[in-house]
Structures are given as structure tokens and as C-alpha cells.
Amino acid sequence: MANKVYKDAKSALDGLLSDGLMLMCGGFGLVGIPDKLIRAVRDSGVKRLTCVSNNAGIDGAGLGLLLEAGQVNKMISSYVGENKTFAKLYLEGRLELEFNPQGTLAERVRAGGAGIPAFYTRTGVGTLVAEGKETKVFDGEEYVMERGLFGDIALVKAWKGDTAGNLVFRKAARNFNPMMATAAKVCIAEVEELVPVGQIDPDHVHTPAVFVQRIFCGAPYDKKIEQRTVRKA
């Protein structure tokens, strides 16, 4: 079995990065984001990236780091409301945006990973989302066709992984990560804990090793809170 284990994010990305890539990024808000990999992509200096992600991080964290560095040309996302840098770049015409309803984005990624080039959904029919897209009527209802998404590199973050590449996601971090892992030519996983093969119960595996080409332990992590809400004293 080929060795999939790398010492850090930089070495895990070695030989894979170039300008113009499409990156599939797991995470939701700041939960389950591949933080170490995103920082390594920023430090590499690659440009003209297309990033597929539920959101665009926040200022100073997540994909916000790549936006601040001017490395992203296009975002394919569902929610971008927490990032002032994103808004500034978009309004200045320096960033292309392809908005997706959240469920549609999830299904586009899942479809891409399953080898499904396109599918039909009622979501977005009659709205700006459907402009320029093919529509078709099934059983008297109109549906819009959406294309599957398949990228060059998937960047995912798991709670635990083994040296073969089997992954386990913890609670809310099991958001877009499992589907992103399937939807790219190469999947790189950063994990909080890396264990030998056999230490993860097969019934607990969320992403099988067949989808993961490279893996490394990124611990320790500084887990940021996107929005802190507290009760008044």
C-alpha cells in the first residue's frame, strides 16, 4: 500500500499546486475547515483559484486568508455574509461569484463525486438562480438543471484518520467534508489525531480511504468561534 502520510500541510501539497486550480474546501463557517491546508495554499502564492465552499470564511480566517492575498478569482458558494473582504472584492469587480442554494451546492458536489454530470431540481426555478440554465418539466412541475462539481484538489479536515486514509468527522464538522473528499482528482486530509490502521472501527468510518490520497496530523488547533453569543449578566 502506498504511503499516504505526510509530515505537514506544505509537504502534503507538494507537487500539486499551480495557478488556475479548482479547490474543493470542506467546512461550514469555521467548523471543520482545513485551516492548515488553507494557510499552506496561501503561503505557496498560487493565483487565479476557483474555490468551491459553502462559505468564504471570515476576515483573517479560513478562505478569507486566500481572498485577502488576492489568490481567488472565483467563489462557488452558498453563504458569504461574514466576510467584508469578500464583499469589497466582489463589489469592485475583482471576484467572480456563483451563488448556489445550500442544498443545491451540496448535491452538485455529491453528484460530481458520484460521476453524475448533471441533475434536475425545483430549487431556484423562476429566480435568478435559474437564469441561463436549462429547464425541463417532469410530472407537470418545472425543474432547473444543475451541473455536478468536480475539482482538482479537495481540502478536508477530519477529527480522526488512520494511516490508510480512513476518516472520521466529529459532530458539526461532518458538514461538507465527506462529499468534498469524493469530488476531486486528489483529496488531502488534515486530521486532529492520526492512528494506525485498525484503530478505527469500520462502522465509524465516514470517508473511506479509497477517496483520500494524502493525509497528515495538523494538531494542535486553535479553534476559533465565528460568532460568540452570551447571556447578559
Side-chain angles (χ1 to χ4, degrees), residues 23-29 31-35 38 52-55 63 154-157 173 175-178 180-181:
L23 301 182
M24 314 294 288
C25 299
F28 190 107
V31 178
I33 62 170
D35 181 65
I38 291 172
V52 180
S53 174
N54 177 68
N55 60 288
L63 290 177
L155 308 178
V156 302
K157 158 80 186 309
N175 40 55
F176 277 78
N177 277 299
M180 291 292 185

Side-chain angles (χ1 to χ4, degrees), residues 9 12-13 34-41 155-156 188-190 216:
L13 286 163
D35 181 65
K36 302 296 174 67
L37 285 166
I38 291 172
R39 291 176 182 275
V41 171
L155 308 178
V156 302
I188 308 173
E190 59 179 87
F216 69 95

Side-chain angles (χ1 to χ4, degrees), residues 6-216:
Y6 289 74
K7 65 177 182 179
D8 54 25
K10 181 179 178 180
S11 62
L13 286 163
D14 186 47
L16 297 177
L17 294 177
S18 61
D19 292 349
L21 292 177
M22 177 184 281
L23 301 182
M24 314 294 288
C25 299
F28 190 107
L30 296 181
V31 178
I33 62 170
D35 181 65
K36 302 296 174 67
L37 285 166
I38 291 172
R39 291 176 182 275
V41 171
R42 177 199 61 185
D43 294 343
S44 75
V46 292
K47 304 287 186 181
R48 294 185 285 104
L49 299 173
T50 295
C51 292
V52 180
S53 174
N54 177 68
N55 60 288
I58 63 173
D59 295 288
L63 290 177
L65 297 175
L66 302 186
L67 290 168
E68 290 169 3
Q71 293 170 273
V72 182
N73 271 23
K74 181 178 181 178
M75 287 291 308
I76 302 177
S77 298
S78 174
Y79 176 69
V80 294
E82 302 297 328
N83 195 313
K84 294 178 182 177
T85 303
F86 179 98
K88 182 175 184 294
L89 292 172
Y90 177 70
L91 292 173
E92 291 176 352
R94 297 160 57 194
L95 180 67
E96 184 181 351
L97 170 62
E98 186 177 327
F99 256 139
N100 294 251
Q102 195 169 85
T104 299
L105 178 63
E107 182 62 10
R108 290 185 71 189
V109 177
R110 190 203 69 80
I116 299 170
F119 61 92
Y120 288 93
T121 176
R122 288 185 64 191
T123 305
V125 170
T127 73
L128 290 173
V129 171
E131 283 192 0
K133 298 176 182 176
E134 177 185 324
T135 61
K136 195 168 184 177
V137 175
F138 295 94
D139 301 323
E141 296 285 352
E142 187 176 6
Y143 290 73
V144 60
M145 188 183 79
E146 296 283 358
R147 294 295 306 271
L149 290 169
F150 191 84
D152 296 296
I153 304 174
L155 308 178
V156 302
K157 158 80 186 309
W159 168 55
K160 183 183 290 187
D162 66 22
T163 54
N166 295 297
L167 304 178
V168 181
F169 303 97
R170 186 173 184 269
K171 298 185 177 180
R174 187 183 174 187
N175 40 55
F176 277 78
N177 277 299
M179 62 192 74
M180 291 292 185
T182 69
K185 299 171 186 175
V186 178
C187 173
I188 308 173
E190 59 179 87
V191 299
E192 296 184 32
E193 183 180 354
L194 186 62
V195 300
V197 174
Q199 293 297 303
I200 299 177
D201 186 328
D203 283 340
H204 296 166
V205 172
H206 297 137
T207 295
V210 68
F211 293 110
V212 179
Q213 283 71 47
R214 301 185 180 190
I215 189 170
F216 69 95

